């Protein structure tokens, strides 16, 4: 599971870089519109995941601003990592 989370975070970083580059120096044709739409959709989805993260984990873990930014940046892959942390704490 750790490999999946790490690989997912790496792919997510590449996607953020590609979408950010498109904002600074737009690609030609339809790809620019697609990437801008994807950026908007990604921001909305990751914001929703951050709200879900707050609702689910605020009582289970001490959360910092860095934790929220991590979920906002990496979405479901961060949620999986925090879920694993909660599960490990519950074993003890």
């Amino acid at each position: 599971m750790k490999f999946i989370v790490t690989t997912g975070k790496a792919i997510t970083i590449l996607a953020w870089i590609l979408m950010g580059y498109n904002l600074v120096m737009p690609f030609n044709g339809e790809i620019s519109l697609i990437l801008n739409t994807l950026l908007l959709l990604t921001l909305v989805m990751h914001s929703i995941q951050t709200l879900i993260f707050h609702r689910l984990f605020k009582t289970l873990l001490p959360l910092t601003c860095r934790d929220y930014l991590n979920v906002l940046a990496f979405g479901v892959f961060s949620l999986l990592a925090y879920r694993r942390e909660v599960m490990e704490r519950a074993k003890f």
Side-chain angles (χ1 to χ4, degrees):
M1 180 65 101
K2 188 171 183 168
F3 174 76
I4 292 171
V5 170
T6 305
T7 304
K9 284 184 176 184
I11 292 170
T12 304
I13 288 172
L14 291 174
W16 279 114
I17 290 170
L18 183 65
M19 291 182 290
Y21 181 80
N22 183 58
L23 282 178
V24 176
M25 299 199 51
F27 293 106
N28 294 331
E30 296 290 319
I31 193 71
S32 178
L33 179 63
I34 292 170
L35 285 173
N36 286 335
T37 305
L38 183 61
L39 176 62
L40 179 64
L41 181 64
T42 302
L43 284 171
V44 169
M45 292 304 296
H46 284 210
S47 296
I48 291 170
Q49 289 172 351
T50 303
L51 291 173
I52 291 170
F53 171 72
H54 176 73
R55 302 273 302 183
L56 291 177
F57 291 100
K58 68 180 177 184
T59 58
L60 302 173
L61 294 172
L63 301 176
T64 64
C65 184
R66 185 173 183 234
D67 296 325
Y68 291 107
L69 291 175
N70 195 14
V71 174
L72 186 62
F74 298 112
V76 71
F77 298 110
S78 287
L79 290 175
L80 289 172
Y82 287 111
R83 178 184 168 268
R84 182 172 22 99
E85 185 178 333
V86 167
M87 298 298 273
E88 288 175 359
R89 286 185 181 203
K91 288 180 183 178
F92 298 111

